[in-house]
Amino acid sequence: MAKNLIQIAILGAQIVGRAFTRALRQELQHAKTATQTGKTSTKTVQADRVTGMSLQEAKQILNLNDLDIQDPEKIRKQYEHLFQLNDKTKGGSFYLQSKIYRAKERIDKESNVSSSSTKTEPTEETKSN
């Protein structure tokens, strides 16, 4: 009886180990192809990993389009409206509040990435010096 339980536990650990390895390989391959195709930068891929959501998902959660991303006031208004709407004391969902918070965090990271990349690009004056 004990021998069978040990075999089952070992088999289960092997299955979980293989699944984890496969998922890790897929994630690494996805990140590699995303940066190689030029669709996303390395910093964008890194921001996706840190926040756990893509920029597209964040825009959907906050109900923003590509033009709204450039307007911090619109982002703030959408964030505050949705965050207050899902307040737990008003019968809302803490899970949805956390998704809204993470979506704003992801968009803020993207604006930081894009603003830092424009600041680091040399201008014509610095190129000639």
Side-chain angles (χ1 to χ4, degrees):
M1 177 78 172
K3 184 178 177 182
N4 290 341
L5 288 176
I6 292 172
Q7 286 177 339
I8 290 172
I10 290 173
L11 184 61
Q14 287 175 343
I15 291 170
V16 169
R18 283 188 209 124
F20 178 76
T21 304
R22 189 177 310 125
L24 185 61
R25 284 185 187 149
Q26 286 177 348
E27 177 62 28
L28 292 174
Q29 183 63 31
H30 175 69
K32 185 177 177 182
T33 56
T35 55
Q36 285 176 348
T37 58
K39 292 181 181 176
T40 57
S41 69
T42 306
K43 289 183 180 183
T44 302
V45 172
Q46 185 179 17
D48 286 352
R49 284 192 191 140
V50 169
T51 58
M53 92 174 38
S54 68
L55 182 61
Q56 183 64 32
E57 183 181 1
K59 289 189 297 188
Q60 287 176 343
I61 289 170
L62 292 178
N63 195 26
L64 299 169
N65 59 34
D66 291 334
L67 298 175
D68 294 337
I69 297 296
Q70 307 302 325
D71 185 10
E73 185 64 26
K74 171 96 176 184
I75 295 169
R76 186 188 61 75
K77 283 182 181 178
Q78 280 295 102
Y79 166 75
E80 288 178 358
H81 170 71
L82 292 171
F83 197 82
Q84 293 300 322
L85 194 64
N86 288 291
D87 190 4
K88 191 170 183 174
T89 59
K90 298 176 184 175
S93 166
F94 179 72
Y95 173 76
L96 291 177
Q97 266 191 331
S98 65
K99 290 296 268 187
I100 292 164
Y101 178 82
R102 293 294 175 207
K104 182 172 184 311
E105 183 180 54
R106 176 63 182 93
I107 290 173
D108 289 344
K109 274 196 178 295
E110 185 66 24
S111 63
N112 289 343
V113 166
S114 61
S115 67
S116 68
S117 67
T118 56
K119 288 179 184 175
T120 58
E121 291 177 5
T123 61
E124 290 300 320
E125 293 174 11
T126 56
K127 285 182 183 177
S128 61
N129 290 336

